[in-house]
């Protein structure tokens, strides 16, 4: 298993585990003292640690040796309109698994999600990072309204806007037409809420230079489905 910890990772460091983490390792994964655990903190790369059990529900980890050097956070920005909590959990995890290094909730006219629970969002990104093997936690940017999110994007960042009303063109050709795969620009992806973007919002997004509206096919996808589809597509065509 891989665990994200806050502490510095140096040989010999003893890290007491929180009860939930100890319970997960000892009783859910049924790991014993000889089973290695991999740790990362977003700064020091990945380290192997030994599990030192000190009770049925308490344990600590003894840091042993580095297994992978630190890698920087991915540069892909994922902008999304919050969804209802269960789907938002799923979307946050998929965005991280699919390579988003920065995620930003964007409030739009038809955003349905109730008050955004940023702590829950953070917990989902940590869980996804542990599961998919990245060494840097994604940055969760402050939730803002659409105009602010667009203005905050660096002009050179290509914005891929998922638009179910866009012409049914070849998405790969559309991406290749917007950027040179040989030297891809920094990227951002924008997916709307379950209620879709308003006409004004579409106009605002399309008015931004360096923006490509992408159709993901003739069917209406749920926002979290669109997230996985577009992130996979963008990275397969323009991933660095
Ligand atoms: N306008 C949709 C409708 O008529 O039901 C509602 C929006 S859809 C459920 C949620 C979001 O997923 C959209 O705002 C868009 O960003 C993305 N999306 C869904 N289907 C898509 C498609 N075929 N092509 C591109 N984006 C799509």
């Amino acid at each position: 298993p891989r665990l994200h910890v806050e502490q510095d990772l140096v040989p010999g460091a003893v890290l007491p585990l929180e009860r939930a983490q100890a319970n997960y390792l000892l009783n859910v994964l049924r790991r014993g003292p000889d089973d290695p655990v991999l740790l990362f903190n977003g700064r020091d790369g990945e380290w192997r640690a030994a599990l030192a059990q000190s009770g049925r529900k308490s344990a600590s980890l003894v840091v042993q040796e580095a297994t992978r050097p630190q890698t920087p956070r991915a540069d892909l920005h994922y902008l999304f309109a919050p969804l209802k909590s269960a789907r938002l959990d799923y979307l946050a995890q998929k965005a991280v698994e699919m390579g988003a290094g920065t995620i930003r909730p964007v409030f739009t006219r038809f955003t349905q999600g109730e008050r955004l629970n940023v702590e829950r969002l953070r917990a989902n990104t940590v869980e996804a990072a542990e599961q998919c093997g990245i060494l840097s936690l994604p940055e969760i940017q402050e939730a803002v309204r659409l105009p602010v999110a667009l203005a905050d994007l660096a002009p050179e960042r290509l914005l891929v806007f998922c638009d179910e009303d866009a012409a049914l063109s070849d998405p790969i050709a559309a991406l290749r037409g917007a950027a040179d795969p040989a030297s891809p620009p920094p990227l951002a992806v924008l997916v709307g809420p379950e209620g879709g973007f308003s006409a004004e919002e579409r106009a605002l997004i399309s008015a931004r230079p360096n923006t490509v509206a992408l159709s993901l096919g003739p069917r209406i996808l749920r926002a979290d489905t669109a997230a996985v589809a577009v992130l996979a597509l963008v990275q397969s065509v323009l991933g660095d």
Side-chain angles (χ1 to χ4, degrees), residues 161-165 190-197 202 214-223 226:
F161 154 44
C162 289
D163 182 2
E164 64 279 17
D165 294 344
L190 171 64
V191 173
E194 288 308 313
F197 287 111
R202 282 173 190 288
L214 205 61
S215 165
L216 292 169
R219 290 169 298 285
I220 299 292
L221 311 177
R222 277 196 172 280

